[in-house]
Amino acid sequence: MVLVVFLLAYLIRRQLDYQDRLSSDQLWRQWFHFGSKVEAGHEAGIGAGLALAVLPALAAGLLVAALDSIGLGFAAYPMECVVLVLLMGAPGWAPVLQAYGDAWRRGNMREAWESIQDQLPPQERQAGFAPGAMHQALSRVFLQSIFQRFFLIGFWYVVGGIGLAVLARGLVALKEQWPQAAARSRFTFLCEVVAWLPVRVLSVTFGIAGDLAGWLRELPVGPSQFSNKLDHILMISANGALTGYALDPDRFFEIHPKEWPDFGHRSLNAIRELLNRSMLVWICGLALLVISGLI
């Protein structure tokens, strides 16, 4: 049933994303404001934040365990599906990427930057970006967002059940939605910890779903492959798995200067197709695990 629940939740979530509906960010933001003090001089600390992330995860895990203990484990599957739909999803990206691609085609880099600046980290929300640097910044944020809102949740749901899936999403929400913006960086390390294994699994999946030879050329060797951060691994892996210099704007311009106006749109399409194929590989792998009786 793990496969059925995840596949159904994923398909529902994709449809909601197409319609730009039901963002879980707002739910987490309200939950954190409800459970923390935000008055000056009374800010809740990192312990309070962790408690607010652990509490719903613990409640979900205990509920499933309780239903299973009384022989009603099947009743937990609809609940898990609903929770996964709420946890996953990245609505709002489609119009942003469309506006960005259209502005790039027109050669209006100022408009392209304005269309994506709210999606970028605060330190990168500055005008004057070179087109190549701007595109790589957007690609990095997009890859990380989709990983954290689909692959990270799916990985921990399969490995540890709905409780771990909620916890993983809660830690990401703390990094992005905690009321005290200055304290959000404290949760970054925890996000890197929960993402350490799944992002490396996704990196391998990129090689399977894309250009394996190119991925092998970009694959880091030595101790750095264990210490690289989430966004760095995603960018290196995707760059190797994609053909046509889809994540190398400068090189693309050198080789195909006449096709430069289409680069932004083509590159983003290539990234999305790689992510879609990678999710298909994960679903097929999960199906094989179910058939073999390992889960």
Side-chain angles (χ1 to χ4, degrees):
M1 284 301 294
V2 172
L3 172 62
V4 175
V5 170
F6 178 73
L7 183 57
L8 180 60
Y10 174 69
L11 294 176
I12 294 173
R13 184 66 256 181
R14 286 295 300 271
Q15 290 301 314
L16 290 172
D17 280 1
Y18 287 143
Q19 301 171 24
D20 195 16
R21 297 172 59 187
L22 196 60
S23 172
S24 61
D25 290 344
Q26 184 62 29
L27 297 175
W28 285 106
R29 189 179 298 113
Q30 292 177 353
W31 169 243
F32 292 150
H33 277 282
F34 172 77
S36 64
K37 296 180 179 179
V38 296
E39 296 84 0
H42 299 281
E43 291 83 1
I46 187 172
L50 288 176
L52 291 172
V54 170
L55 184 60
L58 186 62
L62 289 177
L63 177 59
V64 172
L67 290 173
D68 190 57
S69 66
I70 60 176
L72 296 176
F74 63 90
Y77 296 131
M79 181 272 292
E80 291 182 354
C81 185
V82 171
V83 172
L84 284 175
V85 170
L86 293 175
L87 293 178
M88 294 192 295
W93 271 108
V96 170
L97 299 182
Q98 183 64 43
Y100 174 82
D102 292 343
W104 189 288
R105 276 199 181 105
R106 295 192 297 269
N108 191 336
M109 296 306 167
R110 175 73 185 189
E111 183 181 341
W113 172 78
E114 289 176 350
S115 67
I116 66 169
Q117 59 178 323
D118 291 339
Q119 308 294 330
L120 301 178
Q123 65 272 19
E124 295 183 358
R125 295 175 188 173
Q126 54 184 352
F129 255 158
M134 174 180 66
H135 187 79
Q136 288 194 323
L138 172 64
S139 301
R140 184 182 304 108
V141 173
F142 180 63
L143 280 167
Q144 182 170 326
S145 177
I146 299 303
F147 165 74
Q148 291 177 333
R149 286 162 173 77
F150 284 99
F151 294 93
L152 180 68
I153 295 167
F155 179 89
W156 287 115
Y157 172 65
V158 173
V159 170
I162 195 65
L164 283 185
V166 174
L167 179 60
R169 182 63 180 91
L171 292 176
V172 172
L174 284 173
K175 185 185 70 170
E176 298 176 349
Q177 309 296 330
W178 186 240
Q180 292 83 49
R184 292 173 186 171
S185 60
R186 302 177 186 175
F187 301 107
T188 302
F189 173 75
L190 295 175
C191 290
E192 292 285 343
V193 171
V194 298
W196 192 92
L197 183 56
V199 76
R200 283 159 175 81
V201 175
L202 180 58
S203 172
V204 175
T205 310
F206 281 170
I208 298 172
D211 179 7
L212 181 58
W215 178 82
L216 288 173
R217 285 195 300 268
E218 295 290 335
L219 183 67
V221 295
S224 62
Q225 62 181 310
F226 299 102
S227 59
N228 284 334
K229 291 187 177 181
L230 163 64
D231 57 348
H232 186 65
I233 293 174
L234 288 173
M235 285 294 288
I236 289 179
S237 302
N239 184 44
L242 292 172
T243 58
Y245 304 103
L247 276 179
D248 192 346
D250 297 334
R251 185 62 174 158
F252 182 91
F253 181 75
E254 290 178 6
I255 299 177
H256 308 289
K258 294 183 179 180
E259 300 178 25
W260 179 246
D262 287 329
F263 172 77
H265 180 73
R266 287 171 54 175
S267 174
L268 293 174
N269 275 346
I271 293 172
R272 285 185 287 189
E273 289 173 2
L274 177 64
L275 290 168
N276 288 335
R277 293 196 303 270
S278 297
M279 179 57 76
L280 180 60
V281 171
W282 277 37
I283 291 173
C284 292
L286 178 57
L288 291 176
L289 292 175
V290 172
I291 293 173
S292 63
L294 295 178
I295 59 174

